[in-house]
Amino acid sequence: MTGVAIVGCGNISRRYLDNFAAMPELRVVACADLDADRARAAAEKYGVPVAGEVSQVLDHPDVEIVVNLTVPAAHAEVAMAAVAAGRHVYNEKPLTLDPATGRELLAAAERAGVRVGCAPDTFLGAGLQTVARALADGAIGRPLSAITILQGPGPERWHPSPEFFFKPGAGPLFDMGPYYLTALAVLFGPVTKVAANGSRAHARRTVGSGPLAGSVFDVEVLTHVSALLEFAGGQRATTVFSFDSPLARGDFLELTGTEATLAAPDPNNFTGPVRLRRTGAPEWTDLPVEGTTLGRGIGVLEMARAIAAGRPHRASGELAAHVVEVMAAILQSAEEGRFVPVTSTFVPPAVWEDHPAG
């Protein structure tokens, strides 16, 4: 078994801890949080033997992979501390808030001889793996283009403390964009340049639920972003990320090739229907969906297996750093009104055939 430490015991940690319980190859040996009571509560609930400060967890001899579930602004700091302690680290998305910090993290990990992994790992689930397999098998002919749409009225209506969604490092692009941009990068390869525009429907928003309901806060980011992406393989994609739409929609990812169009499931999910429609066909055809549905944290398991086998892991730091650069380029393009190049690259992961059941 691989020893895992959880750093950051907020809401998302429950999904990871629940799912790790179904992965016998992983053993959670420690929990840490700035709120010591929260770390202890998580450890007690899930039978984790150690709860303490981050430094204690990083020094624990049984910890091999640190799963960094802190808020995005702390991702880089915690990951760098884990690397300095000689631990592999797996970050929640985004990897960092800016490309330069992402490059520094990867360089530090290389010097230390440890690995960096990063969410989202939804592309390892049955839905998007079925899509990747279909593309590799030539189901749509030569891939040409894609369209993705993520839109809704914004999380302030339901989230009890939504301010962080509207601060730098969040917004619809940095909060939800990694799911869609990672899926596109895995399926099409590296992005080479982007063009974008953006807007902000409201300068201030109101909390709609919980103890802060009725309080008003400032919006500091673009809340609607449209972008055009060009890939190294020649494909193009049109993307929309919006918190300004009355219509909620998050399951729109269509891939078009010379012979057919493929409708993929929501990139924020691990499974869902995959449909194919060939040129001239009157209806969509459902494809059999095959792969794992174990959920959040499956990237940690795949990373642990890769470390043990001495092969590259799929939810890699290089992939995540590339997505961060793409998002930064989108914001720069929206501000400057021009195409912005993307210079980083990565090796697209192979389809995951030896995935766990479930």
Side-chain angles (χ1 to χ4, degrees), residues 124-147:
L124 295 173
L128 289 175
Q129 286 292 295
T130 297
V131 172
R133 195 175 294 109
L135 262 61
D137 291 343
I140 67 171
R142 179 165 56 89
L144 299 175
S145 62
I147 300 174

Side-chain angles (χ1 to χ4, degrees), residues 320-341:
H322 180 74
V323 169
V324 169
E325 186 184 353
V326 171
M327 293 190 294
I330 288 172
L331 288 182
Q332 183 180 350
S333 177
E335 292 170 357
E336 299 178 1
R338 65 179 180 89
F339 274 96
V340 173

Side-chain angles (χ1 to χ4, degrees), residues 55-290:
S55 59
Q56 293 175 275
V57 165
L58 297 184
D59 289 337
H60 193 290
D62 293 336
V63 172
E64 298 174 65
I65 300 176
V66 173
V67 179
N68 181 10
L69 307 181
T70 57
V71 296
H75 282 181
E77 180 182 358
V78 171
M80 288 293 279
V83 166
R87 312 302 185 196
H88 307 292
V89 63
Y90 181 94
N91 272 14
E92 246 302 332
K93 53 82 185 170
L95 179 68
T96 58
L97 298 186
D98 63 87
T101 306
R103 291 191 294 269
E104 291 173 6
L105 174 59
L106 295 183
E110 184 175 5
R111 290 192 299 270
V114 296
R115 300 198 189 196
V116 176
C118 189
D121 53 1
T122 44
F123 74 88
L124 295 173
L128 289 175
Q129 286 292 295
T130 297
V131 172
R133 195 175 294 109
L135 262 61
D137 291 343
I140 67 171
R142 179 165 56 89
L144 299 175
S145 62
I147 300 174
T148 77
I149 301 174
L150 177 283
Q151 62 184 36
E156 79 277 10
R157 294 174 178 242
W158 55 267
H159 198 284
S161 183
E163 295 92 334
F164 75 94
F165 284 109
F166 298 89
K167 292 183 179 296
L173 178 60
F174 269 75
D175 180 52
M176 296 300 296
Y179 297 106
Y180 296 80
L181 296 172
T182 299
L184 288 173
V186 167
L187 298 171
F188 282 172
V191 176
T192 56
K193 63 180 178 180
V194 306
N197 58 34
S199 59
R200 184 173 56 174
H202 308 286
R204 309 189 79 194
R205 297 211 178 196
T206 302
V207 180
S209 64
L212 299 177
S215 61
V216 177
F217 59 91
D218 293 332
V219 175
E220 302 178 30
V221 295
L222 296 175
T223 48
H224 179 96
V225 178
S226 300
L228 303 176
L229 314 178
E230 184 172 316
F231 295 81
Q235 304 92 343
R236 271 73 173 175
T238 303
T239 62
V240 175
F241 307 104
S242 183
F243 284 166
D244 292 342
S245 172
L247 174 64
R249 180 164 55 181
D251 59 351
F252 196 98
L253 169 53
E254 287 188 357
L255 309 161
T256 296
T258 54
E259 307 299 329
T261 294
L262 196 63
D266 187 341
N268 191 19
N269 293 332
F270 287 83
T271 190
V274 178
R275 299 177 299 150
L276 181 74
R277 191 162 183 172
R278 298 191 181 280
T279 303
E283 302 290 342
W284 292 90
T285 299
D286 289 331
L287 300 184
V289 177
E290 299 177 354

